[in-house]
């Protein structure tokens, strides 16, 4: 399975917009609660991109015929990064 770069791009654009919104909110003196909600939205968007990249890496290893042990190693490596 190839990484869906279009979907990744859309999610990264969304995160960029959310980060820009955080910057504007801070400059405007918005409430901490509102800022934190926006920060969490940006984190969620980036986390989804990370999951998509990790899923692609694991599935490409499976297609390449890696052993179950090797796949578990890859999954553990990526899990520690997420």
């Amino acid at each position: 399975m190839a990484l869906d770069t279009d979907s990744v791009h859309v999610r990264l654009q969304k995160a960029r917009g959310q980060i820009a919104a955080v910057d504007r909110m801070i400059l405007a003196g918005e409430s901490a609660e509102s800022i934190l909600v926006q920060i969490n939205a940006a984190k969620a968007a980036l986390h989804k991109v990370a999951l998509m990249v990790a899923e692609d890496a694991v599935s490409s290893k499976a297609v390449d015929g890696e052993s179950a042990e090797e796949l578990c190693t890859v999954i553990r490596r990526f899990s520690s990064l997420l």
Side-chain angles (χ1 to χ4, degrees), residues 22-59:
V22 168
D23 189 38
R24 286 190 303 273
M25 293 168 79
I26 290 171
L27 292 173
E30 300 238 359
S31 72
E33 184 178 354
S34 296
I35 293 167
L36 291 172
V37 166
Q38 197 65 26
I39 289 171
N40 280 326
K43 283 174 33 179
L46 288 174
H47 188 257
K48 181 59 180 175
V49 169
L51 289 174
M52 293 168 76
V53 170
E55 180 181 290
D56 178 67
V58 170
S59 64

Side-chain angles (χ1 to χ4, degrees), residues 4-6 10 13 20 25 28-30 51 53 57 59 62 66 69 72-73 75 79 81-82:
D4 182 354
T5 56
D6 289 337
V10 167
Q13 290 292 85
M25 293 168 79
E30 300 238 359
L51 289 174
V53 170
S59 64
E66 301 287 333
E69 184 177 322
C72 286
T73 300
I75 291 169
S79 293
L81 297 172
L82 298 175

Side-chain angles (χ1 to χ4, degrees), residues 1-3 52-66 71 74 78:
M1 174 173 109
L3 183 62
M52 293 168 76
V53 170
E55 180 181 290
D56 178 67
V58 170
S59 64
S60 68
K61 292 284 187 188
V63 169
D64 291 344
E66 301 287 333
L71 284 175
V74 169
F78 282 110

